[in-house]
């Protein structure tokens, strides 16, 4: 009953004229970001944060959240019609989705994807509605040691699951933590790592780091690759045949469960949900040979999974303040910029805000269903805009947005510098996403750590003497050891394989 009452309050907030407009703008921008190959939800959300300055917090997050889950829909369209995934979670959709398009059934593939995405998204938001409040109440029992241990576990999960090398993951994590240390110490007030530069006394703005490492670096990479795309296939017949409804809905059900479960795990991106869903659908099929040749289950399952994942990933953010993916880390930074601290107290201190965001996600998913079916051909044609026209425009808007944060050219120069750093990191296969995650959480981790030590009479033992924090740290250390050993094993096998050749 508490959740239903909160949801009714949320709909009163979300159904105001301006919030509906911001929701439509957000999902439209998300669709636009999703259909542009190479940009993706992380870079797109980071690049568009500056336009929320001056907006009410609930309106700003409604729009940014719309960009996040809207981009998941958008990436499907180009995957099916022109065999070019707009973002990584849609890569798996190319396998069977484009084959269906070649057979003249591109509309069916998009229709199934839209239905599955809608079901997965709605179920995930229902999960946030009913699981969020009890989980937040439980987390209110956490003190600084438990909160530190929880964030440490989240970071170790992310480092362990992202990238091909645990070493590169740790390098990226340490880089992010070092960036978080720049500026004023939160406890003592000491100025550190500014090298006498007055612009760094308050630290580095999150938007500058995110827009540089994700947005500018993606522009540089795509300008280098000069990606080319085919003409989109025709869209007709949006619904599956009568005999296809039963297997399709079974795939949608399995994809929803997979996306929900994996979305709760920090570091396990929507791509993992899609891959696992596709693998399960293929194993459960009566005729696995159909996969790769236009199996409708190969579209329904993965597309449902990645949209259920995007909704479920918001549960740790709202209840614990832990970002479970790079895009969620960008949203966390946006929360902080608007004076809000996601975590256990959010449901208690800002109920109208929380329930307004949740209600807007129901509305946004309905809007996306409408946008997805009749306008699929229009969105696919947007992807054909030449990069030589598109990227300079994005770069100019990015620089103007960065300048508007503090009216400072220093910020613009710093963002461009981070863009070059992000480009180099991607070339060296160092996960920039880990850097942003540790940068966002760095200040909170440091504060929790120092508060724990200040209240402890046993020094560092406080983290191990309390049951919850001790268990979380033990799990994190085991994960780190396992990831390291697994990395060494893969490296050894690679060396042995090269030697044999």
């Amino acid at each position: 009953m508490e959740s239903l009452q909160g949801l009714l309050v949320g709909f009163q907030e979300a159904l105001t004229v301006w919030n509906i407009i911001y929701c439509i703008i957000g999902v439209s921008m998300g669709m636009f970001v999703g259909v542009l190959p190479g940009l993706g939800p992380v870079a797109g959300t980071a690049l568009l944060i500056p336009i929320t300055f001056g907006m009410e917090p609930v309106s700003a997050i409604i729009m940014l959240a719309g960009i996040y889950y809207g981009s998941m829909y958008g990436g499907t369209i180009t995957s099916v019609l022109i065999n070019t995934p707009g973002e990584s979670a849609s890569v798996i959709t190319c396998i069977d989705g484009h084959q269906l398009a070649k057979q003249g059934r591109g509309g069916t593939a998009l229709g199934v994807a839209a239905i599955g995405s809608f079901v997965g998204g709605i179920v995930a938001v229902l999960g946030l509605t009913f699981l969020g409040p009890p989980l937040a109440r439980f987390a209110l029992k956490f003190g600084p040691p438990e909160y530190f241990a929880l964030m440490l576990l989240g970071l170790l999960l992310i480092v362990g699951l992202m990238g091909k090398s645990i070493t590169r993951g740790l390098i990226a994590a340490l880089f992010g933590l070092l960036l978080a240390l720049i500026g004023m110490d939160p406890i003592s007030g000491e100025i550190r790592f500014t090298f006498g530069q007055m612009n760094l006394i308050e630290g580095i703005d999150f938007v500058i780091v995110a827009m540089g490492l994700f947005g500018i670096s993606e522009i540089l990479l795509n300008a280098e690759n000069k990606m080319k795309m085919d003409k989109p296939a025709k869209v007709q017949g949006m619904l599956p045949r009568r005999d296809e409804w039963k297997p399709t809905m079974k795939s949608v059900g399995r994809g929803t469960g997979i996306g929900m479960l994996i979305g709760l795990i920090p570091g396990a991106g929507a791509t993992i949900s899609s891959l696992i869903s596709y693998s399960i659908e293929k194993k459960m099929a009566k005729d696995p040979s159909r996969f790769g040749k236009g199996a409708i289950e190969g579209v329904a399952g993965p597309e449902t999974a990645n949209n259920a994942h995007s909704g479920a990933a918001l549960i740790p953010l709202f209840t614990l303040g832990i970002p479970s993916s790079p895009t969620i880390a960008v949203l966390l930074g946006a929360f902080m910029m608007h004076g809000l601290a996601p975590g256990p107290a959010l449901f208690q201190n800002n109920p109208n805000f929380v329930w307004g965001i949740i209600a807007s996600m129901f509305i946004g998913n309905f809007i996306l269903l409408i946008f997805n079916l009749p306008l699929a051909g229009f969105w696919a044609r947007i992807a054909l805009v030449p990069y030589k026209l598109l990227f300079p425009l994005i770069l100019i808007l990015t620089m103007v947005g960065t300048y508007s944060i503090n009216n400072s050219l220093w910020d613009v120069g710093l963002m461009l510098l981070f863009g070059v750093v992000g480009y180099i990191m991607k070339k060296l296969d160092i996960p920039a996403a880990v850097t942003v995650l540790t940068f966002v959480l760095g200040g909170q981790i440091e504060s929790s750590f120092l508060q724990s030590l200040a209240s402890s009479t046993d020094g560092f033992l406080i983290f191990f003497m309390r049951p919850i924090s001790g268990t979380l740290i033990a799990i994190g250390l085991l994960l780190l050891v396992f990831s390291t050993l697994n990395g060494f094993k893969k490296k050894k096998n690679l060396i042995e394989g090269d030697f044999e050749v």
Side-chain angles (χ1 to χ4, degrees):
M1 285 301 295
E2 177 192 349
S3 295
L4 290 175
Q5 289 173 354
L7 197 57
L8 288 174
V9 171
F11 274 111
Q12 289 178 349
E13 183 76 32
L15 287 172
T16 60
V17 174
W18 278 109
N19 282 339
I20 291 174
I21 291 172
Y22 285 128
C23 186
I24 293 172
I25 292 172
V27 296
S28 301
M29 286 184 171
M31 291 282 287
F32 179 73
V33 166
V35 301
L36 292 177
L39 199 56
V42 185
T45 308
L47 290 172
L48 294 169
I49 282 180
I51 66 177
T52 67
F53 293 155
M55 292 170 58
E56 290 293 320
V58 67
S59 300
I61 303 302
I62 281 174
M63 191 169 77
L64 290 173
I67 294 169
Y68 168 50
Y69 55 83
S71 63
M72 292 295 179
Y73 278 75
T76 307
I77 296 173
T78 49
S79 296
V80 171
L81 298 184
I82 57 178
N83 200 31
T84 307
E87 38 83 32
S88 60
S90 296
V91 171
I92 202 76
T93 307
C94 291
I95 300 172
D96 285 282
H98 191 58
Q99 288 299 318
L100 284 166
K102 284 183 175 181
Q103 298 164 20
R105 303 192 67 204
T108 303
L110 290 176
V112 165
I115 293 167
S117 297
F118 175 76
V119 172
I122 290 294
V123 172
V125 179
L126 285 171
L128 177 58
T129 301
F130 293 104
L131 293 178
L135 187 58
R137 281 195 297 271
F138 171 72
L140 282 171
K141 300 175 183 178
F142 282 23
E146 287 79 14
Y147 205 57
F148 168 78
L150 180 65
M151 288 188 287
L152 181 64
L153 174 62
L155 288 179
L156 291 174
L157 277 167
I158 290 160
V159 171
L161 294 173
M162 293 183 104
K164 299 176 182 177
S165 166
I166 187 69
T167 305
R168 292 189 179 96
L170 287 171
I171 290 171
L174 289 173
F175 180 47
L177 289 173
L178 285 173
L179 291 176
L181 291 174
I182 294 173
M184 188 178 295
D185 185 290
I187 305 297
S188 67
E190 289 284 335
I191 305 299
R192 55 198 184 179
F193 305 120
T194 60
F195 303 100
Q197 177 55 249
M198 296 295 292
N199 290 298
L200 292 176
I201 288 178
E202 295 183 3
I204 301 174
D205 196 291
F206 163 78
V207 178
I208 294 170
V209 178
M211 291 174 72
L213 290 182
F214 290 127
I216 301 300
S217 64
E218 287 293 339
I219 291 172
L220 294 174
L221 281 172
N222 285 293
E224 178 186 46
N225 294 334
K226 297 180 181 178
M227 298 169 66
K228 294 181 180 179
M229 289 150 292
D230 302 324
K231 290 183 179 179
K234 290 183 179 180
V235 179
Q236 54 189 10
M238 303 298 290
L239 297 177
R241 294 189 294 257
R242 184 179 297 178
D243 61 314
E244 292 175 329
W245 274 105
K246 187 175 179 180
T248 295
M249 295 315 294
K250 285 183 177 180
S251 298
V252 167
R254 287 189 289 265
T256 300
I258 291 166
M260 283 284 292
L261 288 173
I262 297 176
L264 296 171
I265 303 172
T271 308
I272 295 175
S273 294
S274 299
L275 286 169
I276 292 175
S277 175
Y278 188 84
S279 176
I280 288 175
E281 292 305 320
K282 190 173 182 179
K283 286 179 180 177
M284 296 191 71
K286 292 180 180 179
D287 181 14
S289 64
R290 294 186 302 108
F291 283 74
K293 300 175 184 177
I296 203 161
E297 302 98 307
V299 176
E303 280 302 310
T304 304
N306 74 44
N307 282 275
H309 181 285
S310 66
L314 292 171
I315 296 175
L317 175 69
F318 276 68
T319 59
L320 303 173
I322 301 295
S324 56
S325 73
T327 315
I328 299 297
V330 174
L331 281 177
L332 174 59
F335 271 74
M336 293 176 174
M337 283 171 46
H338 287 279
L340 296 159
L346 190 63
F347 278 86
Q348 195 175 61
N349 297 340
N350 302 95
N352 286 2
F353 169 82
V354 174
W355 291 112
I357 301 300
I358 294 172
S360 77
M361 293 176 69
F362 284 102
I363 298 167
N365 275 281
F366 275 101
I367 293 170
L368 283 168
L369 185 64
I370 296 168
F371 277 12
N372 234 13
L373 296 177
L375 300 177
F378 165 75
W379 290 110
R381 287 184 178 85
I382 290 177
L384 300 177
V385 176
Y387 282 124
K388 62 182 179 182
L389 299 177
L390 185 64
F391 283 148
L393 178 62
I394 294 174
L395 184 60
I396 291 169
L397 291 174
T398 302
M399 293 174 70
V400 171
T402 304
Y403 179 80
S404 69
I405 298 172
N406 298 307
N407 296 325
S408 169
L409 286 175
W410 165 269
D411 290 346
V412 176
L414 199 58
M415 179 201 63
L416 294 174
L417 175 63
F418 276 113
V420 174
V421 171
Y423 171 81
I424 294 170
M425 289 175 74
K426 287 173 182 177
K427 283 289 188 180
L428 297 176
D429 200 22
I430 297 174
V434 174
T435 296
V436 171
L437 286 163
T438 52
F439 174 72
V440 170
L441 293 178
Q444 298 177 56
I445 291 174
E446 182 185 16
S447 296
S448 299
F449 179 72
L450 294 175
Q451 287 171 15
S452 301
L453 292 180
S455 63
S456 171
T457 56
D458 300 303
F460 292 100
L461 290 177
I462 188 174
F463 298 109
F464 301 96
M465 293 173 68
R466 295 170 70 126
I468 296 176
S469 60
T471 303
L472 292 173
I473 289 175
I475 293 171
L477 291 175
L478 286 172
L479 174 73
L480 186 62
V481 170
F482 175 77
S483 300
T484 305
L485 292 175
N486 194 42
F488 280 126
K489 186 178 179 180
K490 286 181 180 178
K491 188 174 181 180
K492 182 181 177 182
N493 292 338
L494 185 63
I495 292 171
E496 288 176 353
D498 290 341
F499 181 74
E500 288 174 6
V501 170

